[in-house]
Amino acid sequence: MSTGNSARGPVGRILRALTTASAVLAGAGLVYMALATILAVVLRYVFRQPNRFLFESTEFALALTVFFALGMVALYDRHVRVDLIPRRFARTNRKVDIGARFATAAIAGTFGWFAVQLFVRDLETGIRMGSTFGLPRWILMLALTVGLVLLAANELRGALERLHATGTDAATADVTGSESTGEAKHD
Amino acid sequence: LSPGGGAVSEDGKVTLRLATTQTRDSPENIGLWRMIERLERDAPWITIDYVGGPETIEPNDAAENVQSGALDMASVSSAYYTQILPEAEVFDLTPNDPAVDRESGALELINSWHEEVGLHVLGVTIAEMAYMLHFGSRWSEIDITEPDLTGWLMRGGPTQQPMLEALGAEVVNMPVGEIYTAMERGTIDGFAAGNSGMYDLGIAEPIKASYMAPYLTIRYPLLMNLQTWLTLDERTREALSTAMAELERSLPDIYRPVIEGEYQRWAEDGKELLEPTEGDVDRFQARARDIGWELLVARTPRAAEVRELYEVR
Amino acid sequence: MTDLSPAMWLALFVGGLAILVLLRIPVAIALLTVSSIGAVLLYGFSPGIEMTVVSMVSGLTTFTLTAVPMFILMGELLFRSGVAFSAIGAAERGLARLPGRLAFLSVGMGAVLGVLSGSVMASTAMLAGTLAPEMERRGYSRRLATGSILGSGGLAMVLPPSTVVIVWGATAGVPVGPLLIAGVVPGVLMAVGYAVVVGAWAYFFGGAERPAVLGKARVRQGQHQTPEPSSGTAVSTEDSRGSLVNLVALVGMIVGVLALILFGIATPTEAAAVAVGLTALILLVQRRLTREVLRESIKHTLLSTGMVFLIIAGATIYGRVMAGSGTVTAFVDGITSVTGNPTLLLVIMLATVIVLGLFLEAIAIVLLTIPLFMPIVQIAGFDPLWFGILMIIAIQIGTVTPPFGMSLFVIRQYAPKSMPMSELYRAAVPFVLSDLTIVVLLVLAPSIVTALPALM
Ligand code: NA
Ligand code: NA
């Protein structure tokens, strides 16, 4: 992780693979929400056989989808940031940007650490969502942990990449960001 | 210093952090505020620090927040924390007024289960509130003596599901925010909900008729963090217990007018009040409780001990 | 646990958030950070942290919110398959006689996309990606081009379906169905307002193309002889019959989904999933549902969903902790002690939202202001539907106001490279003024908002 090419090094490749795997789960959650809701409507209206599980699992799938997507959102640099410093102060912008990415990684990592502790506790107590009939909460806590850790790791990668990029690279990286590299690798 | 900030300071002053799962001025909190007013007068060393209602604490997380010590106490509907303690469902199945259940020892037994998960039950804060059935335009098909909902789509939570199914209905799950549209458009034929608060929830308008047999009790136990409870000095515990016992005795008088006012408002708004005979109401309630007990005891056999105490008189 | 004065709390919540956001910490992470600090101060270290993390989980398992990714996915499918653009091609031919027809088209398309999509970002991106390059090529003034897109992209927030309306209703406890329907007439009025702005702009200041006489003839012959840009848009490869088919299919789908809700077959939330299914069906029939389209649509839906919902999670706990600190009560007491005049209260709340819109994202504004405003709404006796729609229009203005406007970020990627941000800001001004006019109109005549939902 000590060179600017970290994204292309083995660690970077593993991170990308994990982020993609997590995104695939998120995509499955998204498709599930659509199919389960349509099925629920058909069962209720056509067969007059409403189904509680379809409803509860759709709610559940929403949280799963969001958490498993967090890593990819960071990989493509889509978490919303505010640009207030004018573009002509390229150097200041670069410094702030790199610092912010390290800080974001640290914060997300810290939340990830708390989430994993709650995951362990939820596994022990067997607590469920909403009521004694709900789905187990540890699944969501695990997904949240995964999402936060991948978010942190991708922010860290972004920070290191920018830190080691040369001046001109840095300028282009600011404009196109990991978006372009991300697209290229995916397609 | 207890985890929730429920502090007994040097001069013996006690501050307790409280939250509610209904908005501050909702009817569910009338009894609670009356108790606190009296408590702060009779036990001036106690201060209740109210942090807020559902805008502050997610109602489904409230009991967990008491467990963790974020709060010292919270008034939480028993339906909001069965994920922490399945036995909390016994509150729905009581046929008695709160004071009776304290006297019979039922409350003490229920409390002992709460203490296993780090919660102490100070008592309950409402009476007379219960779940009942509300219908849309199909209400005229109802047989008031013995309702048969075969083929009906009824919205209801997990607590209401068994009775609704026993009546022949199919149970639909949907958020409270969608009940209005679903009733208006006929997506559902009716729903099970409280016997008050329909206007505050914004779902009163599409109700065309209500079946006036409240069948499962709604209870809001006042939960306290067990650690906080154990840290409190004797006179504070005494003051809290006395105030709660006193409140419970006055609850029926506090809540009867509230419920009567709600019923009157329904009638004034042109909603049909489908009133079965007293005998029919009793049968309906007993049936709902029998179903509830059967399922609860299958999940957690010791719940049956409370049933015996409930029925002791 | 820690006694801070309301002023100190406010400094923590507003100042702390501002500092983190200005330092380029993602908005969602900044919200989570400030809230967890607040929660720790209020409730103690581990209870406070635990509350923050648990609320991320419980705040997102909300069925009503599932409509949001569904509508985003529907928009992505329509956009990436070329169906949306192809349908719009049919509409453009109908406008051939108008001067500045692409700017008008932007408004009309904004309205149509507004009904197809629940997200201003998705809609603005579609408008900008399809129309901005073409307007530049045809010599439109770049301000008219970007302004008309910035303006009409916001219609997606007011016209149903709308992510923001759904979140607003779910949070405020106002029935979502009537609230969505209440947005129809105001949304159409806003579109009319934008059309007036575009017409006046083209008439008085020029900057738009002249009416295309040839365009009409070409349609009659059913041929394509125009030299199309190399960008290779769907219109250039699609024959007009195909465009018309797509237009009809889309209109049919919208009508079908509305019918599902009206006849009680599905709830508004469920209708979103059914709309996705119908869209997939339209694509399947046309053999446009390729693996590529499916994968890219899902991918971009996930990127938007992850981004939006992390903000929702952060803003939810932020609002709760702020309420727990007593800041909210202090705010409400402060405002209501200044005045009891309902009109003045309304103006204060609208102004608050517009100011917050300078700095915050729409969902965050919704979640932050509802606990502050709903008590005032009750005291003043406002109709929640009417109030909600006024709030949504004001929040929608925030998508184009600097420094933080989601639509500005989106259009930046499509606007001419030489165009500075400051010129983009100015381009949006006439459209914002049009919105404010509509707000005044709705304040004076509330029945414009409430009549349609009351009919249902
Ligand atoms: Na707009
Ligand atoms: Na929309």
Side-chain angles (χ1 to χ4, degrees), chain B residues 123-139:
Chain B
V124 299
T125 57
I126 62 171
E128 305 290 316
M129 289 191 182
Y131 296 108
M132 61 160 57
L133 304 176
H134 304 284
F135 303 110
S137 48
R138 284 185 70 184
W139 68 269

Side-chain angles (χ1 to χ4, degrees), chain C residues 139-433:
Chain C
Y140 280 68
S141 101
R142 57 190 189 184
R143 273 202 213 170
L144 175 57
T146 51
S148 62
I149 292 171
L150 282 173
S152 39
L155 292 172
M157 197 187 288
V158 182
L159 290 167
S162 158
T163 307
V164 178
V165 169
I166 293 169
V167 174
W168 200 94
T171 315
V174 174
V176 172
L179 193 61
L180 285 169
I181 299 298
V184 172
V185 177
V188 170
L189 284 178
M190 282 167 64
V192 171
Y194 297 157
V196 170
V197 170
V198 166
W201 195 321
Y203 186 82
F204 291 110
F205 304 105
E209 67 184 313
R210 307 180 65 79
V213 185
L214 275 176
K216 195 74 180 173
R218 273 206 313 276
V219 173
R220 284 210 192 94
Q221 293 162 10
Q223 291 170 349
H224 288 275
Q225 291 154 355
T226 3
E228 287 293 337
S230 57
S231 56
T233 51
V235 161
S236 61
T237 55
E238 187 82 14
D239 66 351
S240 54
R241 190 177 298 162
S243 288
L244 209 59
V245 167
N246 277 321
L247 191 63
V248 171
L250 283 194
V251 172
M253 187 192 68
I254 296 166
V255 171
V257 169
L258 286 177
L260 287 181
I261 300 173
L262 287 177
F263 292 119
I265 298 169
T267 66
T269 309
E270 293 167 338
V274 179
V276 170
L278 289 178
T279 305
L281 203 65
I282 291 175
L283 266 54
L284 205 62
V285 169
Q286 302 197 33
R287 297 171 187 230
R288 284 173 188 260
L289 193 64
T290 60
R291 278 183 59 178
E292 175 75 11
V293 165
L294 196 59
R295 197 187 58 196
E296 287 301 298
S297 299
I298 291 177
K299 184 175 115 187
H300 284 88
T301 303
L302 290 178
L303 288 173
S304 306
T305 305
M307 181 271 281
V308 168
F309 277 77
L310 193 61
I311 293 179
I312 292 183
T316 307
I317 181 67
Y318 184 84
R320 287 189 190 286
V321 175
M322 192 152 71
S325 72
T327 318
V328 175
T329 332
F331 176 88
V332 174
D333 291 351
I335 285 192
T336 46
S337 69
V338 171
T339 174
N341 179 333
T343 315
L344 205 55
L345 285 174
L346 183 69
V347 171
I348 292 174
M349 289 191 282
L350 284 170
T352 307
V353 164
I354 292 173
V355 170
L356 286 177
L358 304 177
F359 307 101
L360 285 177
E361 194 271 341
I363 301 282
I365 299 174
V366 169
L367 296 166
L368 293 184
T369 54
I370 281 178
L372 299 174
F373 290 173
M374 287 322 275
I376 301 179
V377 168
Q378 274 196 335
I379 294 170
F382 295 145
D383 180 328
L385 288 184
W386 171 75
F387 178 76
I389 294 300
L390 290 178
M391 285 293 120
I392 303 291
I393 298 177
I395 291 170
Q396 178 268 150
I397 290 173
T399 60
V400 297
T401 50
F404 184 87
M406 296 300 273
S407 300
L408 292 172
F409 300 152
V410 172
I411 204 163
R412 174 72 267 171
Q413 301 170 350
Y414 301 94
K417 292 280 174 284
S418 58
M419 194 172 179
M421 279 309 263
S422 54
E423 200 180 338
L424 275 177
Y425 304 156
R426 281 199 293 272
V429 170
F431 296 90
V432 170
L433 291 178

Side-chain angles (χ1 to χ4, degrees), chain A residues 44-45 48-53 55-56 59 118 121-122 125-133 137, chain B residues 60 64 79-80 82-84 86 138 151 153 156-158 161 170-175 187 189 299:
Chain A
R44 185 184 64 220
Y45 188 75
R48 293 190 81 77
Q49 287 290 322
N51 185 300
R52 180 175 290 278
F53 177 78
F55 173 90
E56 282 179 359
E59 276 189 335
L118 279 170
R121 204 187 70 189
D122 284 359
T125 62
I127 189 171
R128 286 159 179 273
M129 293 302 299
S131 79
T132 174
F133 303 99
R137 194 173 77 182
Chain B
N60 264 303
E64 204 179 348
Y80 293 158
T82 56
Q83 72 274 28
I84 293 178
R138 284 185 70 184
L153 295 178
Q161 182 153 4
E170 294 294 341
V171 179
V172 176
N173 238 9
M174 65 173 54
T187 313
D189 301 309
R299 280 198 308 280

Side-chain angles (χ1 to χ4, degrees), chain B residues 3 5 17 51 54-58 61 64-65 68 70 174-175 177-178 180-181 184-185 187, chain C residues 1 42-43 47 50-51 54 58 64 175 177-178 261-264 267-269 320 323-324 456:
Chain B
R17 180 185 302 280
V51 294
E55 77 287 351
T56 305
I57 299 293
E58 161 68 40
D61 297 343
E64 204 179 348
N65 291 328
S68 77
M174 65 173 54
E178 292 202 299
Y180 181 97
T181 314
E184 288 258 287
R185 301 283 124 218
T187 313
Chain C
M1 180 151 274
L42 271 174
Y43 303 115
E50 196 182 312
M51 186 188 278
V54 166
S58 48
T64 320
I261 300 173
L262 287 177
F263 292 119
T267 66
T269 309
R320 287 189 190 286
M456 293 186 57

